[in-house]
Every structure is written in structure tokens, then in C-alpha cells.
Amino acid sequence: VRIVPAPRSVPEAVSRPLGPPAGFPVVGMVGGGQLARMTQGAAIELGVRLRVLAESSDASAAQVVPDAPVGDHRDGAAVGAFAAGCDVVTFDHEHVPTALLRSLEADGVVVRPGPGALVHAQDKSVMRERLARLGVAQPRWRVVRDTGDLGAFAGAVGLPLVLKTPRGGYDGKGVLVVRDLADAGEWLARAGGSGLLAEELVPFRRELAALVARSPSGQAAAWPVVETVQVDGICREVLAPAPGLDAALAVAATDVALTVAGDLGVVGVLAVEMFETRDGRVLVNELAMRPHNSGHWTMDGSVTSQFEQHLRAVLDLPLGDPRARARWSVMVNVLGGEHEDLYRAYLHVMARDPGVKVHLYGKEVRPGRKVGHVTVTGDDLDDCRARARHAADFITGTIDE
Ligand SMILES: Nc1ncnc2c1ncn2[C@@H]1O[C@H](COP(=O)(O)OP(=O)(O)OP(=O)(O)O)[C@@H](O)[C@H]1O
Ligand SMILES: [Mg+2]
């Protein structure tokens, strides 16, 4: 045995993140959540360097991205310093203020999607106005500032109706179903100058999502339209493609997403959440301009995942094939439950069903929080769904066999 002595000091270069090989770009993603974490998987495969502006040093993506400075996405100096080391800046969430993004662009930073497009994913009222001008079908809506406004709108669409904070909502947190006008008092009082978005409550048949990607050169690619299942405002399951969806309606939904992407000048992945009405129409609920929960199935179920596609798009590379690799893909979210330790479920889940693909995000378990997802692909929808649900429920801890 030959014992090699340890070096006395670690050379400086080893402790600093190394730059990418010659010619390869650095993509900066603002936000260190699970979307950035999963983008890192695709970046590794492409040999592209991902840099993340993380909210904390133990954020989901910061655990797996070596170059992940900690900073606040609302702090111009922090975002500016972060962007200086990137060839293009993109997002894991939509909370970076528009004015900050505009000043980055003025300083020569390449921001994709740009602030002019992104604002439609940041502000639901702005989105409603723009889609109305585009002639895209959506629920009846009105911006309301007081009980008088709301009462007039309720007179037109009836009760219950839906009230939304235009900015900052997620997982249904900015959504209130108003059954009685008095329910809205507190929300209206807190609303501020820009008011609230009121919408008719759509008695939808189900929810759909159309996911597309668009590059700066104008190339676009669309994945199959999926069905999303929300419980208490949180996405639970995604079925790809949407079972039994009328072919013409699938085309219409895809068309809406491509129109929105083109007209708003979106770069990267665009998710268009929609309601399928009982009379066979699609109404747009909201937009997201980043990889989206409705596209997690693409990691295991399509030729090109949404994370790879987002990188290709923001780098203006040719887009990849979005087609499904299996007849069905079912994705079920793993929400935080009773178990702190999720790894203990692996033995059982993996032994029981080698076909289940598990993705956990390195996040601390809190009740109801999205901490991972599982995907099962195959020829039989019911079988895929049962297996994916079982695995997710077992990891969460709601079942124990
Ligand atoms: N006008 C409406 N009619 C009926 N249901 C609605 C309406 N608007 C929202 N919902 C329900 O509430 C859910 C959350 O609404 P929305 O997507 O606007 O909120 P969010 O908090 O921004 O959600 P996300 O987690 O997608 O960011 C929808 O998926 C849908 O189930
Ligand atoms: Mg939504």
C-alpha cells in the first residue's frame, strides 16, 4: 500500500467554481426552487453552465448547483451582480420586479423572457387586459376596487365568484371564492391602488394546460395538451395527454398557447392553464413563463423535457422534439405530509414498482408543500394512475403498504 500524503493547502482554483469550457454559455436562473434544481439536470446533460440566484444557501437548487450565490430577487444590486456573470438570465419564478428587469436590460443583460412578456405572468389583471385585446377566450372578469365595483360585477356574473390578488399568488394562495359580498371585505380593504381581479366562477368540466416553448428566432414547439387536477388550489396530478380530449379542442388549446407565445414575444417555456367548459370550449385561466408543474411529466414522458427545452429556447438553440414517448404519462405531486424523512419510503416504493420514476426536491417537509413528484408511463391510463398515486401517497405517508 502506498500512502499519498494529502496536500498541505487546497489550491485556490479548486475552491472557486470553474468556468465552463470554451464557447459554452452560462445561463443564470433567478430563484433556487425545484424548477431551477430540475433545470440543472438538463444543463448537466447539455454541458451548459447553470448559475442560480438562490434565496438561501440550502434552497432546493442551491444544494445541486455549485455556483449559487445567495441574494434577494428584489435587490437590484444583488440581481445585477448575479447577472454580470451570465450570458442570459431567466427565471425559476415570476417575482422579479419589472422595473428591475428593465434596468438590467438597459445595462445590456439578456433577459429571457423579457420584462414586456413576463409582466403577463406576474400580473393577472394585465394578463386579462392583454388577452381580451388579443381576442382569446377567457372567463368574464373585471378589476374591482371596492364593494360597489364588486357588487356591480356580481350583478352581471352572479355568485359565487372568484377574487384574485393580481400579483404574488401561488398554489391558490391568492384566490378567494366569494359566496357572499361580505366575504370580500377584508381582501378589498387590503387590495391597494391596483385593486383585485374578479372573475366569474367557471363551472368547468376539467382543467387543461397547453405547454409550448418559443425561441427568440421565433421557432416554437408544443407538447401534447394535458389534464391537470387541482385540489384546494394545488396541482395534484397531471395526465398526459388529456384523456378523451376532442381533437379539435386540443388543436384550439395549442393554438391559443402558440398565439399567446408569439404575440407576447415569450421566450422559453410558456404554460397556459385553461378551463375546459361543459360546452366544449377552452378559457384561459393564467400564464406561466417558465417550466411549470403541468410539464414535469416531460422529464420521463417526452423526447425533450421542459427543462432542456427552456434552456434551448433561452439560448436560441433549435428546439427539441416535444412528442410523447409513451401513450400515457401520469405525474402525481408528492406533497409534504407526516413523514419528515422521505428517503425511508424509497426501499418500498422501488421494490414494489421498478417502473415508477421518483423526483424529490431536497426540500424540508411541511404539510401541503410540494416536495417532489412521481411519474409513471405506459399503455394503460388507469394502471399508470394507480401506480403513480400509490407511490406518491406512500412517500407522503398517507398510506403505509
Ligand atoms: N375563474 C375561476 N373559476 C373556477 N375556478 C377557478 C377560477 N380561477 C381559479 N380557479 C381555481 O383555482 C385554482 C388556482 O387559481 P390560479 O391558477 O389563478 O391561482 P394561482 O395561485 O396563481 O395558482 P398557481 O399555483 O397555478 O400559480 C385554479 O387552478 C382553479 O382550480
Ligand atoms: Mg394556476
Side-chain angles (χ1 to χ4, degrees):
V1 178
R2 214 165 64 88
I3 296 172
V4 182
R8 246 172 241 145
S9 67
V10 180
E12 206 205 328
V14 174
S15 59
R16 257 192 284 125
L18 301 168
F24 279 80
V26 177
V27 175
M29 198 170 243
V30 179
Q34 65 262 29
L35 302 177
R37 181 185 175 105
M38 290 186 272
T39 302
Q40 172 70 335
I44 289 167
E45 289 176 357
L46 293 173
V48 164
R49 187 61 55 97
L50 188 69
R51 177 162 213 240
V52 162
L53 183 64
E55 25 294 289
S56 68
S57 58
D58 63 350
S60 181
Q63 296 168 23
V64 300
V65 177
D67 188 7
V70 173
D72 191 316
H73 59 267
R74 293 158 302 192
D75 174 353
V79 180
F82 170 76
C86 305
D87 294 291
V88 50
V89 169
T90 188
F91 309 97
D92 153 281
H93 58 66
E94 37 260 334
H95 305 316
V96 183
T98 303
L100 202 168
L101 295 177
R102 292 217 186 275
S103 85
L104 285 182
E105 278 194 328
D107 291 342
V109 175
V110 180
V111 179
R112 292 177 173 162
L118 190 63
V119 68
H120 302 91
Q122 297 177 309
D123 188 314
K124 289 178 158 101
S125 300
V126 171
M127 181 258 315
R128 286 282 175 242
E129 259 157 52
R130 180 66 174 260
L131 294 188
R133 274 190 278 128
L134 273 176
V136 169
Q138 49 183 350
R140 283 178 290 169
W141 62 280
R142 188 175 302 170
V143 173
V144 297
R145 294 196 165 73
D146 51 41
T147 319
D149 289 352
L150 190 65
F153 183 64
V157 304
L159 289 169
L161 56 73
V162 178
L163 208 52
K164 297 183 178 183
T165 52
R167 284 179 175 265
Y170 67 99
D171 288 349
K173 287 192 174 39
V175 177
L176 178 72
V177 176
V178 175
R179 295 176 199 286
D180 183 305
L181 291 184
D183 299 348
E186 214 176 287
W187 277 48
L188 284 166
R190 278 192 285 114
S194 50
L196 295 173
L197 175 67
E199 296 178 359
E200 66 174 303
L201 182 88
V202 178
F204 54 76
R205 199 166 95 72
R206 59 178 167 175
E207 292 184 76
L208 304 173
L211 198 73
V212 300
R214 182 179 172 277
S215 68
S217 304
Q219 193 189 10
W223 284 274
V225 175
V226 302
E227 174 176 346
T228 66
V229 181
Q230 264 73 225
V231 180
D232 297 330
I234 299 184
C235 176
R236 270 298 175 72
E237 294 183 359
V238 173
L239 312 178
L245 181 63
D246 175 74
L249 203 56
V251 170
T254 302
D255 209 49
V256 164
L258 292 172
T259 299
V260 169
D263 256 88
L264 272 51
V266 177
V267 172
V269 169
L270 167 72
V272 182
E273 298 180 3
M274 301 177 183
F275 303 124
E276 181 183 349
T277 63
R278 301 224 168 90
D279 58 356
R281 293 174 304 139
V282 283
L283 306 177
V284 172
N285 175 32
E286 66 162 345
L287 310 178
M289 294 178 198
R290 50 168 170 75
H292 188 253
N293 203 166
S294 66
H296 289 355
W297 69 274
T298 62
M299 297 174 88
D300 302 304
S302 88
V303 177
T304 308
S305 82
Q306 63 167 346
F307 301 101
E308 176 179 345
Q309 199 78 302
H310 190 73
L311 288 171
R312 288 184 184 225
V314 302
L315 290 167
D316 205 10
L317 291 168
L319 298 179
D321 186 345
R323 272 177 297 188
R325 285 200 284 206
R327 179 154 154 67
W328 298 107
S329 296
V330 176
M331 190 267 352
V332 178
N333 276 336
V334 177
L335 302 181
E338 299 309 314
H339 295 332
E340 290 265 318
D341 172 5
L342 301 178
Y343 185 72
R344 65 198 281 282
Y346 274 18
L347 183 64
H348 174 85
V349 164
M350 291 175 182
R352 184 179 190 270
D353 189 343
V356 171
K357 303 300 287 182
V358 182
H359 304 259
L360 295 188
Y361 308 151
K363 287 163 69 172
E364 208 179 292
V365 170
R366 273 192 245 125
R369 187 186 202 197
K370 288 174 186 169
V371 291
H373 71 268
V374 302
T375 305
V376 176
T377 61
D379 292 326
D380 183 316
L381 176 61
D382 292 336
D383 174 67
C384 291
R385 196 172 193 178
R387 288 162 56 203
R389 280 181 179 176
H390 181 279
D393 287 346
F394 191 88
I395 297 169
T396 296
T398 49
I399 56 172
D400 59 9
E401 62 178 334

